[in-house]
Every structure is written in structure tokens, then in C-alpha cells.
């Protein structure tokens, strides 16, 4: 019979561990030396112990079901068809088409693609009943799962204006669409906008939930899953906890309307910490961010190519990005265990604290008139900007490090003649109803200064 070796060792309490650490610190203050405060005002301790464990958070993460998603921007239909076929043959399990023009021949785009039992996302830069009805019909013919990712509020926050529609407003159009389609999901929440603009994790969760709550209040007929398009930041364990918290709190809020509405998470690495100099480091960043997304329970992960900031879509960048996910899934076995973070004292503690802080902020938003009211009066943008400024100050003072950019830069690295795309904030003068929320990378100012000196 097997014997337990640990019976020979007495259990050590968290108090004993803390005393041992204090002894090793040789007089240095415990709180100032080994405890750090996150941007979300969460105190991160040097260790977590079961005698301080409050219990597991009720976050279900079906990691074994996550799919590898390929982003495809549709401009030339023929090229998009070939690219979709090629990426499916090379390991992509789901597709995300970005379509800016409702005159795109959607029937031609999809008719030859092998989509049976596949998930396909459509990021639409417009709102059209006829276009969505075509998608609904095709999804039935193809026996595929389609998500339309329509997000008028996200469009309003990003562009400053609503979608153009013949109805009274965008919500009326959504209501009319919901009555005519039967086989696809309509709604999406652009959480990535808040993350890439500089919101901290508590703000990202609370704002996206309040954003979703506006739809739940206005569209009582919605019963299909809502897609949360999430950007994953660099703080590994916090990002795992972020996705678990988001799913847990959405379930809590949606239960007040319809308990069958599901939270579907489509995750992508953030652009905020990506750089044009020493660009290969971007591959390291996106790898750990994809790991956080998978372990946090994303339903689908679309990786960001290492050169996405400054190169147009290209086969090499796409292949490397896709292969990163293929390695994680098929060689690192990230898809073999559901709920992998369960029981980790650190991640469970982060999940609980993020849930408490996010729910408090969500309630504050609702008590002050709701997300749309605060978006209209500029409060949401102001709060995000405050968080972004704090993070920018940390980057500028080199307390937040981007390797190869604000620490250990390669002075011989030249990028001016390799820029196919403009990698900085674009100025687009236009008349808007509100001041848009602007996405901005941390390294932009530093990179612009370096480019001028080349």
C-alpha cells in the first residue's frame, strides 16, 4: 500500500511563512519591499496560502473547446476566399471577417468555403438588415455558427457617431433584425477599445458589463450569445483572472434578464504594448497573452502578427501568429484541461477581488444613469484617460518596461523605410456627437522621436 511521505512534515501556516520572510528581509519593511499595488488597487502579496483561501470563484472555463481564429480583412473578395481556404488548411479553426462595405458580395465570399461546423465572426462597420438576413440564410445552408458582432454603442464610443440607419435609431434597427434572423448571434461588446485606450482591468470589466446592460435593457428579444471582443494585456495572471471575472459577472447580470444568454469571449493580444522597434519581442508578448487568453477561458483566440503595426497583412506574419497558437494547442497541450486555474490561490484571489471592484464600479455606473449617459457626458473617456496617463507616466519613467524600446534599445535598429502602415494615432477631422475614445500605444511618442533622428 502506498504511503504518504508528507506525514513526516508539519504543516506551515501563512503566519510562519510571513515571519520567515521578515527574518530574511533583514530589517526591511515587509509591506514596502514584497507587496506591490496594481493599477486596480489590488495588493499583490509574495505568497498565497490555503489558510487565507476564501473559496473558489464560480468561473466555468471550457478551455478544451477553444478555437484558433484567423482575422481576414475583406477588400478583394477573390483574395479573401483564397486566404480563408489557405488558413483553414493550415490549422485555423474559426474565421473573423472584417467587412467595411455592405456591397461586398457575401454569397460569393462564403459559398466555396468549407464552413460546416465552423465558427465564423463578422465585424461589420455598418448596420444592415438585408446583409444580416443573407448571413442568416447562408449559416443555415452551410451548417455553420455565425456571429455578426454588431456593436452600435462600441461604434459610437470609437467613432463619436452612430451607424447610419433608416430607422429611428440603431436600437430599433437591432430590434428589427433580431425579429427576422433565427440562426445567428447579433451582438458584440468591443471591450478591446477600452483596453487599448488605457483602461485598467476593473474599468474594462465594469464598462463592458455596463455596455452589455444597455443592450439587455433595450432589446428584450435577444437570447443568443453576446460576443465580448477582448484585448489581452501583458499582466499574465491578472489577464487570466480578468476573463474568469468577466464570464462570472456577466452570468450574474444576464440572469436578471434571461439566464440562457451566454458570454462568448473572442480574445486578441493588445496593441497597447506592441512596438515597431525590436519588433521580434512582439512575438514573446503575444505568446504569453495568448496563454492568458486560453487559460482564462476564451472561446476563441485570434493572435496578432508580430508586424501588424507597420506591415500590411502578409502570409509570413499570419503563419507565425497562427503557428504560435498551434504550438500552444497541439504541442503544449493547453486544451487538455477545463478550468485549469481552479484552486490556484493567487488567481482565485485576483478573480474575487476583481469581481468585487468591478461590480462596485458597475453599480456606480448604473446608479448615475447608465453607461450611455456617462459616455455622452464624457465621464467614461475621462476615467479611461486618467488610467492611461498613469500607465504612460510609468512607461516614460521606465518603471513599466517594454524591452528594446524604453530599456535596452538597439540603436542600430532602423524602421523608417520599413513602414507600410502608419503605426501611430491617426487624426480624422469630422463632426461628432461625442469626443471618441482613442486607442494609443505606450511607445508612440518615443518611436516618433527615434524615427525623426533616423
Amino acid at each position: 500500500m502506498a504511503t504518504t511521505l508528507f506525514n513526516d512534515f508539519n504543516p506551515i501556516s501563512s503566519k510562519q511563512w510571513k515571519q520567515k520572510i521578515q527574518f530574511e528581509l533583514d530589517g526591511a519593511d515587509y509591506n514596502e519591499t514584497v507587496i506591490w499595488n496594481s493599477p486596480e488597487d489590488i495588493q499583490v502579496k509574495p505568497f498565497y496560502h490555503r489558510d487565507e483561501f476564501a473559496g473558489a470563484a464560480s468561473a466555468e472555463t471550457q478551455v478544451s473547446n477553444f478555437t484558433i481564429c484567423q482575422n481576414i480583412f475583406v477588400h478583394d473578395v477573390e483574395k479573401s476566399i483564397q486566404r480563408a481556404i489557405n488558413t483553414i488548411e493550415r490549422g485555423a479553426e474559426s474565421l473573423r471577417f472584417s467587412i467595411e462595405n455592405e456591397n461586398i458580395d457575401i454569397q460569393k465570399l462564403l459559398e466555396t468555403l468549407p464552413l460546416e461546423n465552423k465558427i465564423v465572426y463578422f465585424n461589420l462597420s455598418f448596420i444592415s438588415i438585408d446583409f444580416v438576413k443573407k448571413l442568416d440564410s447562408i449559416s443555415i445552408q452551410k451548417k455553420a455558427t455565425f456571429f455578426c458582432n454588431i456593436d452600435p454603442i462600441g461604434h459610437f464610443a470609437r467613432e463619436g457617431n452612430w451607424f447610419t440607419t433608416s430607422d429611428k435609431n440603431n436600437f430599433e434597427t437591432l430590434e428589427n433584425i433580431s425579429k427576422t434572423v433565427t440562426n445567428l448571434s447579433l451582438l458584440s461588446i468591443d471591450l478591446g477599445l477600452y483596453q487599448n485606450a488605457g483602461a485598467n482591468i476593473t474599468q474594462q470589466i465594469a464598462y463592458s458589463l455596463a455596455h452589455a446592460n444597455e443592450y439587455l435593457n433595450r432589446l428584450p428579444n435577444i437570447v443568443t450569445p453576446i460576443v465580448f471582443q477582448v484585448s489581452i494585456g501583458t499582466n499574465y495572471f491578472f489577464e487570466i483572472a480578468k476573463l474568469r471575472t468577466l464570464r462570472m459577472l456577466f452570468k450574474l447580470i444576464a440572469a436578471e434578464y434571461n439566464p440562457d444568454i451566454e458570454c462568448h469571449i473572442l480574445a486578441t493580444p493588445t496593441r497597447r504594448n506592441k512596438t515597431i522597434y525590436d519588433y521580434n519581442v512582439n512575438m514573446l508578448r503575444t505568446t504569453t497573452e495568448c496563454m492568458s487568453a486560453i487559460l482564462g477561458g476564451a472561446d476563441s483566440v485570434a493572435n496578432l502578427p508580430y508586424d501588424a503595426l507597420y506591415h500590411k497583412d502578409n502570409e509570413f506574419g499570419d503563419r507565425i501568429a497562427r503557428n504560435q497558437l498551434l504550438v500552444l494547442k497541439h504541442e503544449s497541450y493547453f486544451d487538455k484541461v477545463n478550468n485549469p486555474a481552479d484552486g490556484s490561490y493567487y488567481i482565485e484571489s485576483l478573480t474575487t477581488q476583481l469581481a468585487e471592484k468591478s461590480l462596485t464600479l458597475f453599480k456606480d455606473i448604473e446608479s448615475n444613469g447608465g453607461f450611455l449617459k456617462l459616455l455622452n457626458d464624457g465621464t467614461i473617456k475621462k476615467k479611461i484617460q486618467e488610467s492611461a496617463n498613469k500607465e504612460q507616466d510609468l512607461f516614460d519613467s521606465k518603471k513599466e518596461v517594454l524591452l528594446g524600446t524604453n530599456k535596452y534599445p538597439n540603436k542600430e535598429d532602423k524602421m523608417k523605410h520599413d513602414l507600410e502602415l502608419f503605426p501611430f494615432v491617426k487624426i480624422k477631422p469630422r463632426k461628432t456627437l461625442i469626443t471618441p475614445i482613442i486607442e494609443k500605444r505606450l511607445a508612440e511618442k518615443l518611436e516618433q522621436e527615434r524615427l525623426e533622428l533616423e
Side-chain angles (χ1 to χ4, degrees):
M1 186 175 70
T3 57
T4 303
L5 299 177
F6 294 104
N7 289 339
D8 293 335
F9 300 93
N10 294 323
I12 299 175
S13 67
S14 59
K15 184 178 180 180
Q16 289 173 295
W17 276 115
K18 185 175 179 180
Q19 289 172 342
K20 179 64 175 174
I21 293 170
Q22 287 176 316
F23 175 78
E24 296 291 343
L25 287 173
D26 196 26
D29 185 86
Y30 177 88
N31 291 329
E32 291 183 4
T33 307
V34 295
I35 291 179
W36 63 275
N37 213 44
S38 79
E40 296 75 25
D41 197 30
I42 291 176
Q43 288 195 333
V44 180
K45 300 183 293 186
F47 71 95
Y48 289 77
H49 195 281
R50 68 178 178 181
D51 65 16
E52 298 175 334
F53 183 49
S58 57
E60 289 292 321
T61 53
Q62 299 299 313
V63 173
S64 60
N65 296 329
F66 95 90
T67 62
I68 297 171
C69 184
Q70 178 67 51
N71 293 320
I72 299 177
F73 179 83
V74 181
H75 177 68
D76 183 307
V77 172
E78 290 291 348
K79 289 181 179 178
S80 297
I81 292 170
Q82 290 305 312
R83 190 174 170 205
I85 292 172
N86 180 265
T87 56
I88 290 172
E89 289 174 348
R90 294 189 173 201
E93 299 162 327
S94 57
L95 301 170
R96 175 165 57 179
F97 291 108
S98 293
I99 302 176
E100 291 192 333
N101 187 346
E102 64 181 291
N103 295 321
I104 288 288
D105 189 342
I106 193 66
Q107 183 73 42
K108 182 179 179 181
L109 175 66
L110 301 176
E111 65 183 355
T112 59
L113 300 184
L115 299 180
E116 186 171 345
N117 298 323
K118 281 197 166 43
I119 295 174
V120 187
Y121 306 93
F122 298 89
N123 280 10
L124 307 180
S125 299
F126 53 88
I127 186 167
S128 165
I129 293 179
D130 292 337
F131 195 89
V132 176
K133 285 170 71 175
K134 288 179 188 176
L135 286 176
D136 189 49
S137 175
I138 295 169
S139 72
I140 295 170
Q141 295 168 16
K142 289 284 189 178
K143 299 179 181 177
T145 302
F146 283 6
F147 294 90
C148 272
N149 293 357
I150 300 173
D151 183 13
I153 297 174
H155 181 81
F156 181 53
R158 182 185 293 273
E159 298 294 333
N161 292 313
W162 296 99
F163 286 124
T164 301
T165 176
S166 58
D167 295 309
K168 185 172 68 174
N169 56 47
N170 286 184
F171 299 110
E172 185 175 292
T173 305
L174 277 175
E175 181 70 18
N176 292 335
I177 293 174
S178 70
K179 292 175 181 176
T180 60
V181 299
T182 59
N183 202 59
L184 48 72
S185 296
L186 291 177
L187 291 178
S188 173
I189 308 298
D190 187 7
L191 187 153
L193 171 63
Y194 311 133
Q195 197 281 338
N196 281 294
N200 64 43
I201 290 176
T202 300
Q203 289 173 326
Q204 292 170 47
I205 297 169
Y207 292 168
S208 61
L209 291 173
H211 182 155
N213 197 47
E214 295 288 348
Y215 290 131
L216 294 172
N217 269 313
R218 288 172 166 78
L219 303 168
N221 294 327
I222 296 295
V223 295
T224 51
I226 296 178
V227 176
F228 284 78
Q229 299 195 73
V230 181
S231 288
I232 303 298
T234 193
N235 195 336
Y236 187 74
F237 293 106
F238 271 71
E239 293 294 331
I240 295 172
K242 177 174 86 176
L243 297 193
R244 299 174 86 239
T245 303
L246 177 63
R247 195 178 292 278
M248 187 171 71
L249 291 185
F250 178 80
K251 184 177 180 181
L252 179 70
I253 293 166
E256 298 298 317
Y257 300 90
N258 185 331
D260 295 328
I261 301 177
E262 296 178 3
C263 166
H264 185 96
I265 298 176
L266 171 54
T268 302
T270 181
R271 288 174 175 262
R272 187 160 170 76
N273 65 350
K274 302 305 179 290
T275 58
I276 61 173
Y277 288 99
D278 216 344
Y279 48 75
N280 287 322
V281 181
N282 289 336
M283 279 188 272
L284 303 179
R285 297 177 182 127
T286 56
T287 298
T288 63
E289 288 157 5
C290 286
M291 290 165 67
S292 292
I294 297 166
L295 296 177
D299 295 281
S300 193
V301 182
N303 196 9
L304 185 73
Y306 75 97
D307 59 347
L309 296 179
Y310 62 92
H311 274 169
K312 296 177 182 177
D313 288 342
N314 61 89
E315 195 276 335
F316 182 76
D318 277 353
R319 179 164 56 86
I320 294 296
R322 189 170 55 251
N323 285 351
Q324 288 172 261
L325 287 168
L326 287 168
V327 168
L328 290 176
K329 187 165 192 174
H330 299 296
E331 297 184 31
S332 303
Y333 308 113
F334 266 57
D335 65 333
K336 298 305 180 189
V337 179
N338 287 326
N339 306 308
D342 281 9
S344 163
Y345 301 146
Y346 180 32
I347 297 175
E348 294 283 13
S349 174
L350 291 179
T351 303
T352 300
Q353 291 182 77
L354 284 174
E356 291 171 353
K357 291 179 179 295
S358 301
L359 193 57
T360 298
L361 180 54
F362 170 81
K363 290 177 179 178
D364 182 64
I365 293 168
E366 293 303 308
S367 65
N368 282 286
F371 186 75
L372 265 180
K373 180 180 180 298
L374 299 185
L375 191 61
N376 272 302
D377 68 20
T379 301
I380 299 296
K381 177 176 172 58
K382 177 186 173 186
K383 293 296 184 183
I384 291 175
Q385 193 60 54
E386 288 172 358
S387 295
N389 291 343
K390 289 177 183 177
E391 188 179 19
Q392 190 68 53
D393 289 343
L394 290 173
F395 174 80
D396 293 343
S397 63
K398 299 183 181 180
K399 292 178 181 176
E400 181 167 332
V401 173
L402 292 183
L403 201 64
T405 298
N406 69 340
K407 199 162 190 178
Y408 308 120
N410 178 5
K411 299 297 184 182
E412 304 303 314
D413 202 1
K414 308 295 181 186
M415 289 298 298
K416 181 174 282 189
H417 300 295
D418 201 21
L419 301 181
E420 298 175 357
L421 301 172
F422 185 70
F424 309 114
V425 172
K426 298 179 179 67
I427 305 299
K428 190 168 71 172
R430 61 197 185 279
K431 188 176 181 180
T432 60
L433 299 173
I434 62 169
T435 305
I437 295 172
I438 306 297
E439 297 179 322
K440 186 179 180 183
R441 295 182 298 111
L442 290 168
E444 289 198 14
K445 182 182 176 183
L446 191 58
E447 289 172 347
Q448 287 171 318
E449 291 171 353
R450 284 186 65 176
L451 283 170
E452 288 176 2
L453 296 174
E454 285 188 17

